[in-house]
Amino acid sequence: MLQKPVGPDPAGADSPFASTTPPRFVGPKLPPMSSARTLVKDALHAAAAPADPILLQGWVRTRRDAKGFSFIELNDGSCLKGVQVIARDTLPNYAADIGRAQTGASVEVRGRLVPSQGQGQKWEVVAESFVIVGDTDATYPLQKKGHTLEFLREIAHLRPRSNLFGAVFRVRSRLAYAVHQFFQEKGFAYVHAPIITASDCEGAGELFRVTTLDPSHPPMTEAGDVDFRRDFFGKRAYLTVSGQLEAEVFACALSNVYTFGPTFRAENSNTSRHAAEFWMIEPEMAFCDLQGNMDLAEEFVKHLIRDAREHCAADLEFFGKFVDKDLLARLEFVLERPFQRCSYTDAIDIITQSGRKWEHPVIWGDNLQSEHERFLAEEHFKCPVTVFNYPRTLKPFYMRVNEDGKTVRAMDLLVPGIGEIIGGSQREERLDVLRENLAHHKLSEKDYWWYLDLRRHGTVPHAGFGLGFERMLMFVTGVGNIRDVIPFARTPGNAEF
Amino acid sequence: MLQKPVGPDPAGADSPFASTTPPRFVGPKLPPMSSARTLVKDALHAAAAPADPILLQGWVRTRRDAKGFSFIELNDGSCLKGVQVIARDTLPNYAADIGRAQTGASVEVRGRLVPSQGQGQKWEVVAESFVIVGDTDATYPLQKKGHTLEFLREIAHLRPRSNLFGAVFRVRSRLAYAVHQFFQEKGFAYVHAPIITASDCEGAGELFRVTTLDPSHPPMTEAGDVDFRRDFFGKRAYLTVSGQLEAEVFACALSNVYTFGPTFRAENSNTSRHAAEFWMIEPEMAFCDLQGNMDLAEEFVKHLIRDAREHCAADLEFFGKFVDKDLLARLEFVLERPFQRCSYTDAIDIITQSGRKWEHPVIWGDNLQSEHERFLAEEHFKCPVTVFNYPRTLKPFYMRVNEDGKTVRAMDLLVPGIGEIIGGSQREERLDVLRENLAHHKLSEKDYWWYLDLRRHGTVPHAGFGLGFERMLMFVTGVGNIRDVIPFARTPGNAEF
């Protein structure tokens, strides 16, 4: 056990904050102290009651006083549930301290794990001692239920202590790990794409500029422009919108790679699905075509759902109860059914022949709108569907042009309730076609010299995609606003904490 | 197998770049194609030769022509070594194509795995067909050995194809995974700390500003200052220098957490150990003191070294041969010996009583310089050493003040050859002392309202540390310059790729 109990000195410290002073010594480390912390999740899942008392450390969720004793629900964030602690009035500090065990106070309890009399719990703890480690007061905002999500965003530093957000951030952590496990077990190398970059992957998009220039008095050129040669990087620099182009570099060396890092969009849009800062996963595979790419994307999405169900069962159950009643059935459904695939051309036929009235009628060559994507996934196919081979005119310069000259090997994976969750493509590996595309998109070959080099020296067919991590979390938790699956969300006007 | 072979159409495509067109269909996905790619690492480690020919896809490292056949060393980045391919002149396209199998060209080989006649390899492949997928020419820069590291930095898009950088980035990927495994298996939750932030953890430091304002014509206030209320976030925003304060929020809810993300310093220093963008790992534990923190830091460092030795043996052997002859012995030594611990006060005594002449003589209250840190780790203790309990005046506001009032519960883990690799502390959990510290450091309580709130509501002793991921990589690989362990390094004047 790595952690030592920290708390009042048994010899009698005068402050509830007192803790043992690290010894001043030179030499090998001391043997671990005898009684170490037990996490609530381990206590609740104990196969048998340990002979010795256990040490629990956490926060009071609720307290109920009865005649002769109090019930304290102690939560330490290790799992959704708290453990019920019974503090009898025979404890020496009961009379003095039990009133301080308010919702939000931190406590340290030593006691015996005993079979619970109550329903829905296997074990409870009979306290042999309890100590208030840190007090709180009536201003603690999480005392009552029924706060709005909007209010909880304003106290993003406290909301992880609530049931909902504890569950969200445990799932976020577990799914991030599942991402790494999925790729590492397939032999993919994890690549840290640069965050600050002078290139703009999409050839468009709204960028955050990164600078150390004095905003009020930037150095100027003789022509009267800001002199970015004197900025930190010697030129304009931005926050990345995608690590794809850099991932391609590594796929063309290590074969199979993935990125997982923050990406940024300076879009001034206040929707429930957009944030200025979000995490993206971008695998890239050499010697892989669009079909291999679709295979991987589908396998990946299923893996994440399966992993969450296996490792976050209690948290998902909570979401199914309090956030989205259809959640568990939907996840089950997605796992059981094979995903569908449908070319863009067929998708247009399906949409136009559906007999529906559309807010945005489409013909071949138009972008699919949210209403069309949701119709395909939720009503027509009734399951996740990958739409592929989009019109060349709709897509960025790097996508591989098909033999028809009109479509590119793009793919979008659409899921019920969310819409697009993955976008990807086979990349254009032919130097001549790529140069044409750059020219067509009015991009300079000079800016992409190294990207073109990949096609000059041992070019290979390759493909990849991007999964927005937060969108996946919204899908798996049923949480409807991206702000509520990010620890500290960044949106227009918001960079608090 | 997730990947489909992609390459010339067996029916006879006219371009080496031709690949199968994804079928236009609506329905469940097709069964996998019959012959899938074998990675070089799997071929080299095969227990027995498979009955059927295998498909290898990768890049030519070298080719040697003999009478009647050629040897091609094919590398696909899955491991350091390539596999030797024997192409006989009886292959139908031998005469026409073998000359194109130049260093750097991409090839696809089908052939039988057979026991190798040569030394140092168990298997080789006798080609039944070979196809040049992508040509190269004499301008390919990685043809000859002996390029300088400086030159290779200028071709960061190609250097991962070299032995050295392939090895570095495989180790980087593996160690990143080892970080997650270490913490996840201990039940720590992974937290994505925000990258864009309005707070400055250290209360100092050189920051990158993030903005969407027009640099030439920013909006101005009536007082003639730049009007940051009209910037994207409604105020000045920066790139984070540390996720610690936000990790503390989550430790005070989920108990044990860690961050692993990019952090930034706009220091205008061109040293071999500083980059403007680097990745940092920051665990944070509730109910943990400085000793628990030191225990975890030491266990963590050993875990990473052990993991690299176990999973990247061939790559480490390569570093030991070509980068740093002492590397393997040093790693062995660090694993075998217990780490030492030494208070700052004792360290000062050891340094002043050593009889050495110091470039920077120190007395109690001074910062330890690099020469002192290296003396402690490399000469005095001859092993990694954790120095703890530093003078309060040297350290940031958030470190816990000891009972002596003069020192704080800080710790630095020093390793031979690198110096400081980890810095951490127990945090000040007492509201009154923290407020004093803020005032002392001339920081505003208004800016830290949420950080203070953690001490108002159920405060707990807690501790954590930061490990610079690149420093750890330098230690494990022996590579001497931080630019050479980062895919695309960002330093003053450099944001290429």
Side-chain angles (χ1 to χ4, degrees), chain A residues 154-417:
Chain A
E154 288 167 24
I155 52 164
H157 62 306
L158 297 175
R159 67 177 183 170
R161 302 184 188 187
S162 67
N163 279 335
L164 174 63
F165 287 96
V168 163
F169 294 119
R170 277 189 299 273
V171 172
R172 187 175 173 115
S173 169
R174 175 66 218 182
L175 278 197
Y177 189 44
V179 166
H180 287 293
Q181 282 187 322
F182 178 81
F183 287 113
Q184 294 275 346
E185 283 171 14
K186 286 185 186 299
F188 282 54
Y190 179 33
V191 174
H192 287 131
I195 309 301
I196 299 170
T197 175
S199 33
D200 170 8
C201 172
E202 303 289 333
E206 317 221 349
L207 301 175
F208 287 106
R209 194 160 49 83
V210 173
T211 181
T212 54
L213 294 181
D214 179 343
S216 309
H217 306 287
M220 304 300 277
T221 62
E222 283 185 16
D225 301 317
V226 173
D227 188 357
F228 286 103
R229 288 169 309 179
R230 292 168 65 187
D231 205 346
F232 190 90
F233 295 108
K235 56 176 147 181
R236 281 187 182 82
Y238 303 96
L239 292 180
T240 185
V241 297
S242 160
Q244 177 200 317
L245 303 195
E246 290 88 356
E248 287 185 53
V249 162
F250 277 80
C252 293
L254 305 181
S255 285
N256 293 320
V257 303
Y258 69 107
T259 72
F260 186 5
T263 49
F264 304 85
R265 299 282 154 81
E267 268 179 283
N268 198 357
S269 60
N270 256 312
T271 83
S272 63
R273 285 156 48 161
H274 291 87
E277 176 182 317
F278 55 99
W279 284 63
M280 191 141 68
I281 299 131
E282 299 184 279
E284 190 75 31
M285 297 160 281
F287 298 99
C288 180
D289 64 9
L290 186 64
Q291 239 189 301
N293 205 25
M294 291 194 280
D295 289 349
L296 185 74
E298 295 169 1
E299 188 188 346
F300 183 44
V301 166
K302 287 196 174 193
H303 172 83
L304 294 182
I305 295 171
R306 202 173 289 120
D307 187 275
R309 289 213 316 179
E310 188 181 331
H311 291 96
C312 307
D315 290 327
L316 290 201
E317 207 175 297
F318 176 85
F319 298 131
K321 216 160 163 182
F322 295 104
V323 175
D324 177 352
K325 298 248 179 284
D326 301 327
L327 178 71
L328 301 182
R330 192 166 62 239
L331 296 180
E332 177 70 27
F333 181 80
V334 166
L335 280 183
E336 274 183 2
R337 298 218 16 192
F339 288 19
Q340 300 291 307
R341 292 182 188 174
C342 169
S343 73
Y344 168 88
T345 302
D346 285 343
I348 291 289
D349 288 349
I350 290 167
I351 292 162
T352 52
Q353 290 163 18
S354 67
R356 296 280 175 124
K357 290 239 174 217
W358 301 105
E359 198 182 329
H360 307 274
V362 279
I363 56 167
W364 200 98
D366 291 342
N367 262 318
L368 298 185
Q369 302 294 318
S370 184
E371 57 174 334
H372 311 124
E373 295 182 343
R374 296 191 63 159
F375 167 74
L376 289 171
E378 294 167 18
E379 300 187 51
H380 185 81
F381 290 109
K382 295 199 173 62
C383 74
V385 53
T386 307
V387 180
F388 62 92
N389 283 354
Y390 282 77
R392 185 176 184 176
T393 48
L394 295 178
K395 294 293 182 178
F397 74 95
Y398 51 72
M399 294 195 178
R400 194 183 194 282
V401 180
N402 276 317
E403 283 63 19
D404 61 15
K406 291 189 306 185
T407 59
V408 289
R409 293 189 188 170
M411 62 182 221
D412 282 349
L413 174 54
L414 316 175
V415 295

Side-chain angles (χ1 to χ4, degrees), chain B residues 21-92:
Chain B
T21 309
R24 180 171 172 280
F25 66 94
V26 177
K29 68 184 182 183
L30 295 175
M33 288 167 71
S34 56
S35 67
R37 180 183 190 185
T38 298
L39 290 175
V40 168
K41 78 171 166 190
D42 296 325
L44 291 178
H45 294 115
D52 293 324
I54 60 172
L55 170 66
L56 294 165
Q57 298 170 311
W59 292 266
V60 176
R61 276 294 171 81
T62 58
R63 191 188 84 236
R64 190 159 54 84
D65 300 324
K67 201 178 153 81
F69 62 91
S70 297
F71 288 122
I72 294 169
E73 192 200 338
L74 184 153
N75 187 296
D76 65 6
S78 63
C79 61
L80 185 73
K81 279 206 162 185
V83 64
Q84 176 160 281
V85 173
I86 296 158
R88 296 191 210 281
D89 65 0
T90 50
L91 291 167

Side-chain angles (χ1 to χ4, degrees), chain B residues 176-189:
Chain B
Y177 189 44
V179 167
H180 287 293
Q181 282 187 322
F182 178 81
F183 288 113
Q184 293 275 345
E185 283 170 14
K186 287 186 185 298
F188 282 54

Side-chain angles (χ1 to χ4, degrees), chain A residues 26-49:
Chain A
V26 177
K29 66 184 186 184
L30 295 175
M33 290 166 70
S34 57
S35 69
R37 177 183 192 188
T38 298
L39 291 175
V40 169
K41 78 170 164 189
D42 296 327
L44 291 179
H45 293 115

